[in-house]
Amino acid sequence: MKFRALLTSTREGIQGIIRHPLVTLASFTTILLMLLLMSVFLLFSANARYITKRVAQQPPIEVYMKLESTQAERDVVISYLDQNNQWIIEYEQRTPEQNYLWFRENLGESASILDNFDYMTYLPYTFHIRLIDPSYADEFGMNMRAIPGVNKVLIESRVMDFLSMTGRWVNIGTFVAFSVLLLIAMFIISNMVRISVYSRSAEISIMKFVGATSGYIRLPYIIEGLFVGMVSAVGAWAIAYFTYQQVFDIMMANVNATSFYALLPIQSLSHWVMIMCLVTGMLIGGLGSAVSVRKYVKV
Amino acid sequence: MIRFEDVYKTYKTGTDALRGVSFKIEDGDFVFIIGKSGSGKSTIMKLITREERPTKGYVLVDRFPISKMHNALVPVLRRQIGMIFQDFRLIESKSVFENVAFAGEIVGMSPKKLSQMVGIVLSIVGLSHKANAMPLELSGGEQQRIAIARAMINDPKLIVADEPTGNLDPQTSESIMALLEQINRNGTTVIVCTHDSNLVDRMKKRVIEVDNGIIVRDECASGYCATPPPEDKISIIQAVSKPSFPNGEDERPAVKLEDI
């Protein structure tokens, strides 16, 4: 297609938007609402995943060695942890003395009762491990228990299961909402094109008779769809950005930014929201128009 | 050249529109296709413009075998045909100039050439002074002249007119037919579909009469067939403007899919 023809189609596409302001407004509003909902889901799921991850990582897996465990057995545990570092954020080995000091510290003013405690006899070596993903916990615990010298492995499995399940449901919810909204948007775009094609039927029939190609006839509608999708995307992003900023300011007013429950700042998410809105909006607008116009305009 | 060989057309509804139609129209002919409503004359027009495909038989328009040509070549065929309709089919929201230019824009004519060509075709139909008017400000005859100008903008080899005088008074009809005759005299093949027998009688041109899907009269044999124009005859547009190929070379490339 020649550049001049592309320019003409772009002009026609923009004229189509102006010519049917109510139809354009309807499709713009629908795509905007859809993208806004998607942005809310994206922001929500990003925060849910972020919080889930941080909370899940907090209660570490605790591995208790047998009291009589040898240095060789502890080395096997260390070696296992080093070999599987793709699952692990960090781990720490605590000696009986460190565990003793930790107990004392937790007892505060009552720490004196442990003054004569023979920690080398009664306290084991322990490993405190933080996993990348709580869903690995069960398999990881099973492998650890199989290592000689390991007495028991404590996993906060219920918490981890819940967090893992929440994450999964958030993902499923996002996907379902996205699919339903996508179908609604496609339906409305299809109607937008149908109305637009109907109102320009005389023009289209003339175009066919003077030898316009299918591409030439269809392109203005695709450009119209792309443009509506793009404007809707920018609108949805702007609303999501400023609304989230307000919510963030209110919710984080009394929360420390390093807290487990701190929200992600909008600056770290806004570019993802923008990319998602633009790609989805233009895809829905352009593709929806292309599919519909193919159905209604045949040379 | 247009050739119909034993052409049948049955629509999806089961209506037999054409039943074994055969005729040949040479380059430069002026032909009337007449018949009652539902006789099949519009189907013949639709086959020529490839709005429809024949159910059986062979249709050739210029170098295009209508029955088996690729869909992608349809626009290429239609760029060589100027179409005129009873209801003019002008775009009401566009000015006279824009309506005529529209057909040239579609084929990618440069703005400079387009402006020049619109000026030429409007002067041929005698409406240069109405270039900025809107279609609804014009009379029926003027609107049809604009439609003729639009049909001529791409300098077609063939003009197909479907009831071009159907909405016009007798005097205006005469002037429209005179214009078409003038275009034909310069080498463009003209096919007019009409039921106005008085007009047909006065014009003394070849008449193909269709009734119930078959040809019942073809006056080619009666001496009304036009003599093909001489090889060096140039179209009315080339006559008015400077010919781009003074040596008579054909500007049009051979039909190829990659051309579109």
Side-chain angles (χ1 to χ4, degrees):
Chain A
M1 177 162 293
K2 286 182 180 172
F3 180 68
R4 198 176 300 114
L6 188 68
L7 273 182
T8 309
S9 296
T10 308
R11 194 186 63 209
E12 289 287 330
I14 292 167
Q15 277 175 357
I17 291 170
I18 299 161
R19 205 177 289 138
H20 310 291
L22 287 177
V23 182
T24 304
L25 190 69
S27 41
F28 167 78
T29 313
T30 314
I31 300 179
L32 184 138
L33 281 175
M34 186 208 144
L35 293 177
L36 190 60
L37 274 170
M38 273 176 55
S39 304
V40 169
F41 267 99
L42 184 84
L43 291 168
F44 176 77
S45 62
N47 274 295
R49 267 195 290 272
Y50 178 64
I51 292 170
T52 303
K53 208 173 190 176
R54 289 178 66 174
V55 173
Q57 289 160 357
Q58 185 48 32
I61 292 177
E62 292 181 352
V63 177
Y64 290 82
M65 302 301 290
K66 289 175 182 163
L67 288 172
E68 65 277 16
S69 67
T70 63
Q71 183 59 46
E73 287 169 336
R74 291 193 293 276
D75 286 345
V76 172
V77 172
I78 291 168
S79 159
Y80 176 83
L81 294 173
D82 288 339
Q83 279 167 17
N84 291 284
N85 58 4
Q86 75 275 14
W87 286 7
I88 296 162
I89 295 172
E90 62 177 7
Y91 74 87
E92 181 194 357
Q93 183 188 197
R94 288 188 192 158
T95 61
E97 186 181 2
Q98 284 170 318
N99 281 325
Y100 169 71
L101 292 173
W102 185 79
F103 278 136
R104 280 188 69 95
E105 198 180 319
N106 275 292
L107 285 170
E109 290 177 359
S110 311
S112 57
I113 60 167
L114 293 174
D115 279 352
N116 297 317
F117 185 72
D118 181 7
Y119 55 83
M120 287 306 287
T121 308
Y122 298 106
L123 291 180
Y125 277 86
T126 58
F127 290 91
H128 298 251
I129 303 150
R130 288 173 63 201
L131 289 181
I132 285 171
D133 189 323
S135 62
Y136 302 150
D138 283 343
E139 193 186 340
F140 183 80
M142 211 162 65
N143 292 343
M144 289 300 293
R145 281 187 199 100
I147 298 172
V150 171
N151 184 18
K152 61 178 176 180
V153 179
L154 284 184
I155 303 171
E156 294 291 340
S157 59
R158 281 188 183 177
V159 176
M160 290 206 177
D161 283 351
F162 173 76
L163 292 171
S164 186
M165 192 181 69
T166 308
R168 265 201 304 276
W169 279 110
V170 166
N171 287 342
I172 292 168
T174 308
F175 178 75
V176 170
F178 181 88
S179 305
V180 171
L181 289 167
L182 188 77
L183 286 175
I184 294 171
M186 287 293 219
F187 176 75
I188 290 185
I189 287 274
S190 169
N191 277 311
M192 175 185 93
V193 169
R194 186 156 53 176
I195 292 168
S196 192
V197 167
Y198 180 74
S199 69
R200 291 177 65 196
S201 56
E203 206 169 313
I204 290 169
S205 88
I206 294 162
M207 284 166 101
K208 287 181 194 174
F209 286 125
V210 296
T213 58
S214 299
Y216 186 92
I217 297 174
R218 290 170 188 161
L219 195 59
Y221 296 97
I222 296 169
I223 289 172
E224 194 176 323
L226 281 174
F227 194 79
V228 169
M230 192 177 73
V231 175
S232 307
V234 173
W237 173 83
I239 294 172
Y241 184 98
F242 291 110
T243 309
Y244 185 86
Q245 187 68 62
Q246 294 298 313
V247 171
F248 184 87
D249 288 346
I250 293 165
M251 289 184 72
M252 294 295 289
N254 298 314
V255 177
N256 190 320
T258 56
S259 153
F260 298 125
Y261 300 101
L263 296 174
L264 283 162
I266 187 66
Q267 288 76 13
S268 65
L269 293 171
S270 69
H271 60 287
W272 289 114
V273 176
M274 176 59 109
I275 291 169
M276 189 273 301
C277 283
L278 274 178
V279 170
T280 316
M282 291 178 77
L283 203 68
I284 292 168
L287 205 66
S289 298
V291 170
S292 311
V293 82
R294 193 178 164 78
K295 189 174 159 191
Y296 301 122
V297 179
K298 282 181 182 149
V299 172
Chain B
M1 184 190 59
I2 296 166
R3 204 165 80 219
F4 274 57
E5 279 178 19
D6 200 22
V7 175
Y8 286 78
K9 175 66 190 176
T10 306
Y11 287 105
K12 282 177 187 168
T13 53
T15 311
D16 291 321
L18 296 179
R19 298 179 296 149
V21 167
S22 299
F23 62 86
K24 196 172 169 184
I25 297 173
E26 296 292 346
D27 289 344
D29 267 2
F30 192 120
V31 180
F32 284 107
I33 297 177
I34 62 167
K36 291 179 288 187
S37 291
S39 58
K41 58 184 191 301
S42 293
T43 302
I44 291 175
M45 299 299 233
K46 283 180 180 172
L47 289 172
I48 291 172
T49 57
R50 190 28 186 81
E51 270 185 84
E52 296 289 345
R53 283 177 192 267
T55 310
K56 196 178 141 195
Y58 181 71
V59 178
L60 182 77
V61 177
D62 198 11
R63 296 162 292 163
F64 298 90
I66 298 294
S67 20
K68 55 184 179 187
M69 69 186 275
H70 195 280
N71 277 342
L73 284 173
V74 174
V76 185
L77 164 76
R78 290 184 182 160
R79 285 172 198 181
Q80 303 192 26
I81 303 174
M83 292 190 218
I84 300 162
F85 303 93
Q86 181 176 358
D87 54 359
F88 323 130
R89 299 204 189 168
L90 300 175
I91 301 165
E92 290 174 8
S93 58
K94 291 183 191 282
S95 70
V96 164
F97 182 93
E98 288 167 338
N99 262 287
V100 179
F102 184 58
E105 258 175 33
I106 281 167
V107 298
M109 216 179 264
S110 70
K112 192 180 165 191
K113 190 179 177 194
L114 193 59
S115 175
Q116 187 190 354
M117 290 299 285
V118 175
I120 292 169
V121 292
L122 283 179
S123 74
I124 291 170
V125 299
L127 288 171
S128 299
H129 59 293
K130 299 274 187 177
N132 296 320
M134 300 304 279
L136 291 179
E137 296 166 14
L138 306 176
S139 68
E142 286 174 328
Q143 288 191 50
Q144 194 60 293
R145 282 170 180 274
I146 299 303
I148 293 172
R150 183 183 60 198
M152 291 165 64
I153 188 85
N154 293 327
D155 196 10
K157 284 182 174 176
L158 168 68
I159 285 188
V160 173
D162 191 3
E163 302 279 5
T165 58
N167 285 348
L168 306 175
D169 60 74
Q171 200 180 345
T172 313
S173 299
E174 290 285 349
S175 69
I176 292 295
M177 293 315 297
L179 184 57
L180 289 174
E181 200 176 10
Q182 186 193 348
I183 293 166
N184 170 251
R185 271 202 299 273
N186 286 278
T188 306
T189 310
V190 176
I191 301 174
V192 179
C193 187
T194 184
H195 61 263
D196 186 345
S197 51
N198 291 334
L199 190 80
V200 174
D201 291 344
R202 277 198 304 279
M203 293 286 289
K204 301 210 182 306
K205 299 287 184 187
R206 178 182 173 191
V207 177
I208 296 173
E209 186 176 351
V210 194
D211 186 29
N212 205 19
I214 53 173
I215 292 179
V216 293
R217 176 169 64 132
D218 184 350
E219 288 191 344
C220 188
S222 316
Y224 286 134
C225 279
T227 310
E231 289 295 317
D232 58 350
K233 192 129 186 177
I234 52 172
S235 76
I236 193 164
I237 292 175
Q238 286 170 324
V240 174
S241 62
K242 282 183 186 172
S244 350
F245 288 80
N247 297 331
E249 293 168 43
D250 192 353
E251 195 177 350
R252 297 164 200 269
V255 180
K256 291 180 208 155
L257 262 177
E258 53 267 30
D259 291 341
I260 56 170

